[in-house]
């Protein structure tokens, strides 16, 4: 057993750390971590590994060697225990059946199927419930899951790299093929880590045609996101990497709906883009979307207020001319150094 203090924040922080181990694998479910504490010691812990598999509470309680201690133990869970039958039984029922002493909850579950009913069920069974422990941190943990229920759309993060004078490409001719590297190697690795954390990744047809990117996590160990390409009139060549590497790709267009190998073509009304785009993302149960370009696609989402966060790499070189960076309110909430690049985080 791991000896700790009796500070609830410490145990909840451990549950949060555990929850992040499921990053990118739990959709459409939330990321959840759980810790079982007895007399100031952690005697069990677990997290939700993957959608369809046991929830965090199940894994945590199963890890407790001496089940006789559960009736005198406190449980710390980052999200309100579920109260309904899905692919697994309700976790609130499990906690009740084990007669745990007290349950500390980080944040409520916004899913209408839960939305406080899990907490209420525990209280009605005589179990004391302490709510809001590290609530801000627990809410950030599942901001993608929360977004789908609170705003009826995924959490959308924009990402681009720019020069010190705010150009994303030194070329004015956007039809010139070949990639121009603006960010450094370290930034590239971090981007691949982000791709592992997001359910889907989006680019426009110009970026796909000019850069011919693979949009995978080849520089980071993890799963590849669903690739989404906006190609309104189907101008892209079938020889591109994304159509020939055996990985799933979704092409949103206004001409045809069909499935060709691992590529699915889906019609979208570009004249009512915002509504149809969000409907499509929800149809695929996408909780989080990373948008990597190009400039027109990024600006379109900014103008439509379809973004929550922007992650912008900036190098120390000036281009003096070229394709300008997307325009928006440039007040960063935080920044840090990535090698010789700066990473700025902007929140909507």
């Amino acid at each position: 057993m791991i000896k700790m203090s009796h500070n609830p924040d410490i145990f909840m922080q451990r549950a949060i750390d555990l929850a992040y181990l499921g990053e990118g694998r739990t959709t459409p479910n939330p990321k959840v971590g759980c810790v079982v504490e007895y007399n100031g010691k952690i005697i069990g812990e677990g997290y939700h590994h993957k959608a369809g598999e046991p929830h965090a509470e199940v894994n945590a309680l199963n890890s407790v060697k001496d089940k006789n201690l559960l009736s005198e133990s406190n449980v710390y869970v980052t999200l309100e225990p579920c109260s309904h039958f899905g692919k697994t039984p309700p976790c609130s029922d499990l906690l009740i059946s084990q007669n745990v002493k007290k349950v500390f909850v980080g944040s409520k579950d916004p899913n209408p199927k839960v939305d406080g009913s899990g907490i209420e069920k525990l209280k009605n069974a005589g179990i004391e419930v302490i709510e809001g422990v590290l609530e801000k941190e627990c809410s950030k943990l599942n901001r993608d899951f929360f977004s789908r229920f609170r705003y009826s759309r995924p959490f959308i993060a924009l990402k681009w790299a720019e020069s010190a004078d705010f150009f994303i490409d030194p070329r004015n001719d956007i039809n010139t093929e070949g990639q121009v590297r603006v960010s450094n190697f370290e930034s590239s690795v971090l981007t691949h880590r982000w791709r592992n954390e997001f359910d889907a990744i989006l680019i426009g047809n110009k970026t796909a045609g000019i850069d011919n990117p693979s949009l995978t996590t080849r520089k980071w160990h993890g799963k590849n996101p669903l690739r989404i390409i906006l190609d309104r009139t189907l101008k892209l060549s079938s020889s591109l990497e994304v159509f020939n590497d055996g990985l799933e790709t979704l092409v949103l267009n206004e001409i045809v709906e069909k499935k060709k190998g691992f590529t699915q073509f889906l019609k979208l009304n570009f004249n009512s883009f915002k509504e149809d785009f969000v409907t499509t993302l929800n149809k695929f149960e996408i909780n989080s979307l990373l948008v990597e370009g190009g400039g027109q696609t990024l600006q379109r989402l900014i103008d439509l207020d379809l973004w929550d966060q922007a992650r912008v790499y900036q190098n120390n070189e000036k281009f003096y001319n070229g394709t300008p960076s997307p325009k928006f309110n440039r007040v960063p909430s935080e920044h840090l150094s990535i090698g010789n690049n700066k990473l700025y985080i902007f929140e909507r």
Side-chain angles (χ1 to χ4, degrees):
M1 292 187 290
I2 304 174
K3 179 69 176 179
M4 305 286 283
S5 75
H6 287 280
N7 185 347
D9 288 1
I10 294 177
F11 296 105
M12 187 61 76
Q13 184 58 57
R14 174 58 182 168
I16 292 172
D17 294 341
L18 288 167
Y20 275 113
L21 296 177
E23 190 93 71
R25 294 163 181 80
T26 64
T27 296
N29 297 340
K31 299 179 288 291
V32 183
C34 182
V35 164
V36 183
E37 169 255 325
Y38 171 76
N39 196 27
K41 302 175 182 178
I42 292 178
I43 62 171
E45 58 182 29
Y47 67 97
H48 185 35
H49 291 231
K50 186 178 180 181
E53 295 185 1
H55 288 184
E57 297 93 326
V58 176
N59 290 329
L61 266 62
N62 283 344
S63 72
V64 176
K65 293 182 179 180
D66 186 355
K67 299 296 190 293
N68 293 320
L69 298 179
L70 288 175
S71 62
E72 293 299 321
S73 296
N74 298 320
V75 174
Y76 301 78
V77 60
T78 56
L79 188 70
E80 174 185 3
C82 61
S83 56
H84 66 288
F85 281 88
K87 293 183 179 179
T88 58
C91 291
S92 54
D93 288 356
L94 173 64
L95 295 173
I96 292 170
S97 70
Q98 296 300 319
N99 194 30
V100 299
K101 182 179 179 182
K102 190 183 300 185
V103 176
F104 293 81
V105 175
S107 58
K108 283 188 176 181
D109 190 335
N111 186 339
K113 294 180 179 179
V114 185
D115 195 20
S117 62
I119 291 173
E120 192 66 24
K121 183 179 283 190
L122 292 172
K123 289 181 177 179
N124 290 338
I127 296 175
E128 184 179 355
V129 179
I130 308 298
E131 301 178 49
V133 181
L134 296 186
E135 184 173 11
K136 181 179 178 181
E137 292 82 354
C138 289
S139 295
K140 181 180 179 180
L141 166 69
N142 279 308
R143 57 190 174 185
D144 50 353
F145 178 75
F146 285 12
S147 180
R148 189 156 61 88
F149 287 101
R150 290 175 176 171
Y151 309 120
S152 299
R153 66 166 178 79
F155 175 83
I156 301 176
L158 313 179
K159 172 262 170 185
W160 69 85
E162 64 184 17
S163 63
D165 53 352
F166 311 117
F167 291 97
I168 60 175
D169 196 315
R171 301 169 295 185
N172 284 311
D173 182 4
I174 58 175
N175 293 314
T176 302
E177 294 185 1
Q179 289 187 336
V180 174
R181 176 64 63 188
V182 180
S183 59
N184 58 22
F185 175 78
E186 294 90 341
S187 297
S188 177
V189 172
L190 180 57
T191 295
H192 286 228
R193 174 184 172 180
W194 291 342
R195 290 175 181 176
N196 163 67
E197 297 170 357
F198 281 78
D199 298 329
I201 183 171
L202 173 75
I203 60 172
N205 65 339
K206 291 179 180 178
T207 298
I210 295 170
D211 293 348
N212 191 20
S214 62
L215 306 177
T216 63
T217 57
R218 60 195 179 279
K219 295 179 182 177
W220 188 267
H221 178 71
K223 58 90 182 165
N224 293 307
L226 170 66
R227 300 174 301 195
I228 305 176
I229 300 175
L230 299 177
D231 189 15
R232 184 170 186 170
T233 57
L234 296 180
K235 294 180 178 179
L236 292 175
S237 169
S238 60
S239 65
L240 291 177
E241 179 74 16
V242 291
F243 300 137
N244 295 281
D245 58 6
L247 300 175
E248 297 290 335
T249 301
L250 178 63
V251 179
L252 302 182
N253 69 97
E254 59 181 11
I255 297 176
V256 66
E257 288 200 8
K258 65 178 183 180
K259 185 76 180 291
K260 183 179 180 181
F262 290 92
T263 303
Q264 182 172 351
F265 295 84
L266 194 64
K267 290 177 70 173
L268 189 76
N269 187 343
F270 281 74
N271 292 322
S272 58
F273 178 83
K274 184 174 184 177
E275 295 78 9
D276 274 26
F277 180 62
V278 168
T279 297
T280 298
L281 296 178
N282 290 338
K283 175 183 176 182
F284 282 82
E285 294 187 315
I286 293 170
N287 281 355
S288 57
L289 175 70
L290 179 64
V291 184
E292 290 203 21
Q296 291 184 9
T297 298
L298 291 163
Q299 192 64 58
R300 167 182 268 182
L301 296 182
I302 290 172
D303 293 343
L304 291 173
D305 203 26
L306 276 179
W307 69 288
D308 299 286
Q309 185 183 76
R311 306 176 182 188
V312 182
Y313 295 121
Q314 188 179 90
N315 65 23
N316 53 17
E317 180 183 357
K318 290 186 176 182
F319 290 166
Y320 300 103
N321 203 352
T323 304
S325 301
K327 299 294 187 292
F328 72 116
N329 183 19
R330 302 184 66 91
V331 181
S333 59
E334 61 179 300
H335 71 274
L336 61 153
S337 296
I338 308 294
N340 62 353
N341 283 180
K342 293 290 186 181
L343 171 61
Y344 294 92
I345 306 296
F346 301 86
E347 306 287 346
R348 183 171 63 84

